[in-house]
Every structure is written in C-alpha cells, then in structure tokens.
Amino acid sequence: MKGVAQEVFKEARHRWKEKLKNGFLGKMNVTIDRQNFWKANSYLVFRGLLADMAKEMSGWVDDIAQWPADMSQCLKFYEMNDPSTLSRIENFVPYHDGLSKCLMNSFVTETLHSLMGVEAVLYKDRINFKPPGGGAHAAHQDGVAYERGSLAEFEQDSIPYISILIGVDKATRENGCFEVAADWPLSKRDILRMERPNPDHPNFSKIAQEVEDSIHWIQIETDPGDVILFTERLPHRSAINTSTEGRRILYGVYNPLQEGDKREQYYEDKRNNINDSRYMIGNPHAPVR
Ligand SMILES: O=C(O)CCC(=O)C(=O)O
C-alpha cells in the first residue's frame, strides 16, 4: 500500500482504536464449549453479534458497490455467467472506515489471538454479493489459494489462517447460504483433490466432484449481523442464488502475524496477475479483461 492510501489506512486504524475505547462490537466470547467445538469442527458461529449494526453495514456495502471499477484501489469482479453483474469487491478496508472497523477491532483480534494462540493480522478482505441468479461458490479450501497451493497437505506445525464471515443480508438455502464440511477437526491437514471442470474458464478450479460428493455438508443460514469464524483448511461452498433477493456477505481473512504482514504483497501480486488460477479457486467471477 503506497502514499495516500497508506496514510488513509493509518488514520482509519487510529480512529478505530479511539472508537473502540467506547466499545463497538459485542465480545466474541470463546467459552470452553466453543473452544472444544472449534477444535472438533474448525468453525464457530456467533449469532446476532453485529445485529445492531446490520442496517448501517448494508448501507456501507451499497455505497462501495458504486465505487469506480478502475482496480487501482478496491478490486471489483463480475459474475462468470453475467459479466455486467457485480460478484465481489476486495481491498476496501483502506478506504472505508466503517467496514474496516467491522474487520479490524480489538474484539476480533483478541478472539483470533485466542484461537490461533498468536497475534493475527488482516490479510485480505472481500464482499461477496451473490445477486439473484448469482453463481455458486464451488467447494474449496481457502488455504489452497494462499501460499500453500502446491503442497500435498497443510504443514504439520502451521497455524491456519482464519476467516471471519459477517452476514449483511439474510442468507438462506434458497439464496445460497454458507455451507461447511461436517466433522473437520483442526488437526485435519488434508488438501483435497481439485479439478478444473469448466473448459470456458480453464483457470477456475474446485474440489473434485467425487470428493465433494463424499463430504457431509452443513448449510448455515445466517441473519444480518451473524458472525462465523472458520479456518483456511475447512472445505466450504455455497449454492446458486435461486431466490429474488441478493445475498451479501462480508469477509476478512487473517494470518498469524509471526508470518509477517502480507496484505500489501498479496494485493500487489493479485493486481499484477489478476486472472491467475490461485485467485479463481471456487470463485464464480469472470476473468478480468
Ligand atoms: O460467500 C460465499 O457464499 C462463499 C464464499 C467463499 O467460499 C469464498 O469467498 O471463498
């Protein structure tokens, strides 16, 4: 992140700290039961944590959906099956105070710290829009898209990156709610076999259909303001939106700080090679022309 953007980012970080002194988020209370659930399943659900802010978040997401699509600041991607329809926005954190506060505040970082056992730092941010008719997020493990894509399995001693999912709209079975693999403990290091099923989009990949079909999937419907944490190893997916309502979800991904603050490098690499196959894992967005 360079020049003006870096200054904006620093300023926003300072403002969050000030606001957070007065409390902003409900605390994510990681009780012993939750810690056990996390170890056994690699995800946690916090119902209603940001319900008070749901309306405001929805307005913020509407605002940034209107931002220019020049890719110099945030990155905008469009549906694979309808390149005029917005599918995803990334890298808005340096430019939007409110949404940044949702993803970077002491309650989030403290919770991540307690789950990772070390301090966490924001790696990337995105909003998935999934409008009516919007494409499925095909089954995948996020970690394959980070630095570990070429490994046979996730490394023995590595600390998994953790994502936070924040519901902006109601997510239902009809509009393609988040789905996770059942019984996927933290200790499971498998990287699942992938395939490239779409000859029109040869860089797009997903978990091989046979493997996907062997997994028991849990659909997690969410209300605006519900929060889910999950690791980069947990297979997940979501279906096509067959309803008439859009389904927007906000995500942050965090890596252990001891691996370094990689955000700037990630987005530089991505801008330089925007249609690389590692950015097309599970994603229903069209290649950038
Ligand atoms: O938003 C969704 O439905 C799933 C998102 C997802 O899997 C991803 O962005 O990696």
Side-chain angles (χ1 to χ4, degrees):
M1 203 182 307
K2 305 249 167 352
V4 174
Q6 196 161 28
E7 284 311 305
V8 173
F9 194 47
K10 270 193 198 145
E11 232 180 86
R13 205 192 287 253
H14 176 72
R15 283 202 301 275
W16 304 320
K17 279 192 184 149
E18 289 303 302
K19 286 181 180 156
L20 286 164
K21 279 184 197 155
N22 304 320
F24 177 68
L25 267 187
K27 199 167 173 66
M28 288 200 257
N29 203 351
V30 188
T31 57
I32 298 288
D33 282 354
R34 280 204 164 120
Q35 286 175 35
N36 290 337
F37 188 91
W38 175 252
K39 277 190 199 134
N41 297 285
S42 303
Y43 73 93
L44 278 179
V45 182
F46 297 85
R47 295 282 175 198
L49 198 73
L50 285 173
D52 290 355
M53 296 194 51
K55 217 169 152 194
E56 206 171 0
M57 277 194 301
S58 175
W60 292 335
V61 173
D62 284 343
D63 291 345
I64 70 167
Q66 302 307 319
W67 285 359
D70 67 2
M71 304 299 253
S72 67
Q73 298 191 330
C74 64
L75 311 181
K76 282 177 138 181
F77 301 91
Y78 294 84
E79 286 285 313
M80 200 183 270
N81 296 329
D82 177 6
S84 63
T85 300
L86 187 61
S87 172
R88 163 186 291 222
I89 295 184
E90 291 189 25
N91 194 37
F92 45 83
V93 155
Y95 315 108
H96 197 286
D97 193 23
L99 289 171
S100 311
K101 279 189 289 160
C102 294
L103 298 180
M104 296 177 64
N105 62 73
S106 55
F107 296 120
V108 170
T109 49
E110 277 165 23
T111 304
L112 294 172
H113 191 157
S114 73
L115 295 175
M116 280 187 188
V118 294
E119 222 179 304
V121 63
L122 186 70
Y123 177 52
K124 47 186 274 198
D125 53 88
R126 66 180 176 281
I127 296 164
N128 289 341
F129 283 79
K130 205 185 282 201
H137 288 262
H140 65 283
Q141 294 167 290
D142 284 344
V144 177
Y146 306 153
E147 287 82 20
R148 324 207 207 293
S150 56
L151 299 176
E153 58 177 25
F154 291 106
E155 285 158 322
Q156 176 96 41
D157 299 321
S158 67
I159 300 171
Y161 291 16
I162 296 177
S163 288
I164 185 169
L165 170 162
I166 302 176
V168 179
D169 299 313
K170 203 172 176 56
T172 62
R173 285 157 202 250
E174 292 70 38
N175 68 16
C177 64
F178 193 66
E179 301 182 26
V180 298
D183 302 322
W184 206 270
L186 283 187
S187 55
K188 205 166 164 80
R189 291 185 292 115
D190 311 34
I191 290 183
L192 301 179
R193 185 160 59 81
M194 305 281 288
E195 65 183 10
R196 296 184 184 220
N198 190 338
D200 293 335
H201 295 284
N203 279 358
F204 168 78
S205 64
K206 63 178 283 292
I207 290 173
Q209 196 57 46
E210 202 186 352
V211 179
E212 179 177 353
D213 292 345
S214 71
I215 291 173
H216 175 59
W217 294 94
I218 300 174
Q219 293 176 307
I220 310 179
E221 295 192 312
T222 44
D223 282 324
D226 284 351
V227 170
I228 301 176
L229 299 180
F230 60 100
T231 74
E232 62 172 317
R233 298 177 186 171
L234 179 68
H236 58 276
R237 68 180 188 183
S238 67
I240 293 173
N241 182 351
T242 57
S243 80
T244 52
E245 303 295 324
R247 189 236 62 176
R248 298 163 303 165
I249 293 182
L250 167 66
Y251 293 89
V253 183
Y254 306 79
N255 68 270
L257 182 57
Q258 65 193 32
E259 288 185 17
D261 185 344
K262 305 176 175 187
R263 182 185 168 80
E264 196 178 325
Q265 188 65 49
Y266 175 84
Y267 281 113
E268 193 178 324
D269 291 348
K270 188 159 187 167
R271 278 201 177 84
N272 289 338
N273 206 353
I274 195 90
N275 294 323
D276 191 273
S277 53
R278 74 182 265 233
Y279 307 125
M280 309 288 280
I281 294 176
N283 274 332
H285 70 67
V288 176
R289 302 276 168 218

